[in-house]
Amino acid sequence: KNQVEQSPQSLIILEGKNCTLQCNYTVSPFSNLRWYKQDTGRGPVSLTIMTFSENTKSNGRYTATLDADTKQSSLHITASQLSDSASYICVVSDRGSTLGRLYFGRGTQLTVWP
Amino acid sequence: EADIYQTPRYLVIGTGKKITLECSQTMGHDKMYWYQQDPGMELHLIHYSYGVNSTEKGDLSSESTVSRIRTEHFPLTLESARPSHTSQYLCASSDPGTGGTGELFFGEGSRLTVL
């Protein structure tokens, strides 16, 4: 069964600190992995998309890594800000599938305290 | 910022009522989707469309129906709402991309509560 597991389920950090969120998947065959940020009561917004050949991609203070061999990804947030408080969702797509066949994780709820 | 809009943002209705959740996008995307999301849970695909007059059911069984008469419009309808339909409904559209990496754009969501 294709699955996407995220950890931790929730995380609290102080403003200015760094943090790393994890995503493990069993989706096969693999096409791409996405990270989304979802503010409370809003729709998800894309942070990064990585294909099989990419093992790191940055978007400002967000850096995603991908190890397709171990089927693991991480999202590193540098110098956190209060506005980083949100749910971060890992999404994996299988190769050759329609875009509708995305596999979503349950998200990591990040809270940044002042 | 994505040009995809959902209305209403919040809706509280009684059991048995018919409701339609509206979704419109101005990006000219052929592919559109409806997802259902409960707190702390993953998004589940309930309907999708690859273009006008094309609609398919998703992975999650749903009593809702959709239509795609115009490219920009993808409404979702519940003929008779029940408390089990209480959830957050997210509409999305995607650009073509390459190799399956089309960008997925989400609306702000419609929070439905059925009493």
Side-chain angles (χ1 to χ4, degrees):
Chain A
K1 180 181 176 183
N2 288 322
Q3 286 188 315
V4 177
E5 300 287 341
Q6 293 187 242
S7 62
Q9 183 176 348
S10 61
L11 181 63
I12 299 174
I13 61 173
L14 293 177
E15 187 179 14
K17 299 296 185 183
N18 304 335
C19 68
T20 300
L21 314 181
Q22 300 290 343
C23 174
N24 296 338
Y25 62 92
T26 60
V27 177
S28 181
F30 173 84
S31 175
N32 59 78
L33 184 145
R34 307 153 187 256
W35 283 95
Y36 286 85
K37 177 187 179 187
Q38 184 176 23
D39 293 319
T40 301
R42 310 289 292 273
V45 175
S46 177
L47 294 175
T48 63
I49 301 175
M50 289 185 293
T51 60
F52 184 88
S53 60
E54 298 173 295
N55 48 28
T56 187
K57 182 167 279 190
S58 292
N59 178 1
R61 294 180 297 103
Y62 301 102
T63 299
T65 65
L66 172 64
D67 186 334
D69 292 330
T70 61
K71 298 187 177 182
Q72 295 179 324
S73 176
S74 64
L75 180 69
H76 186 75
I77 304 175
T78 303
S80 61
Q81 300 176 358
L82 299 179
S83 59
D84 292 331
S85 294
S87 178
Y88 291 84
I89 302 172
C90 176
V91 186
V92 181
S93 177
D94 59 4
R95 190 186 317 145
S97 73
T98 62
L99 184 57
R101 302 298 297 182
L102 295 174
Y103 299 89
F104 288 79
R106 294 186 175 186
T108 291
Q109 184 64 49
L110 174 66
T111 303
V112 181
W113 283 2
Chain B
E1 194 164 307
D3 294 320
I4 180 165
Y5 309 99
Q6 290 186 240
T7 58
R9 288 291 313 280
Y10 304 94
L11 181 62
V12 180
I13 60 170
T15 297
K17 298 294 185 182
K18 177 181 178 179
I19 64 118
T20 296
L21 304 180
E22 303 287 350
C23 177
S24 295
Q25 50 96 4
T26 59
M27 297 173 282
H29 292 164
D30 287 325
K31 296 180 180 177
M32 296 189 73
Y33 314 84
W34 276 103
Y35 290 91
Q36 187 172 339
Q37 184 183 31
D38 293 313
M41 301 296 289
E42 62 268 45
L43 276 71
H44 290 286
L45 181 67
I46 50 176
H47 296 284
Y48 61 99
S49 167
Y50 288 160
V52 172
N53 295 325
S54 154
T55 62
E56 300 287 344
K57 288 187 179 294
D59 303 320
L60 183 67
S61 175
S62 174
E63 295 163 343
S64 59
T65 59
V66 292
S67 63
R68 190 88 183 277
I69 298 173
R70 304 197 316 267
T71 298
E72 62 271 21
H73 195 213
F74 191 40
L76 181 146
T77 298
L78 275 168
E79 291 292 333
S80 180
R82 295 205 303 268
S84 61
H85 295 137
T86 295
S87 188
Q88 167 94 328
Y89 293 85
L90 289 164
C91 179
S93 71
S94 66
D95 62 23
T98 56
T101 58
E103 184 67 76
L104 193 62
F105 298 92
F106 285 91
E108 297 285 32
S110 293
R111 165 67 63 185
L112 173 65
T113 301
V114 184
L115 304 176

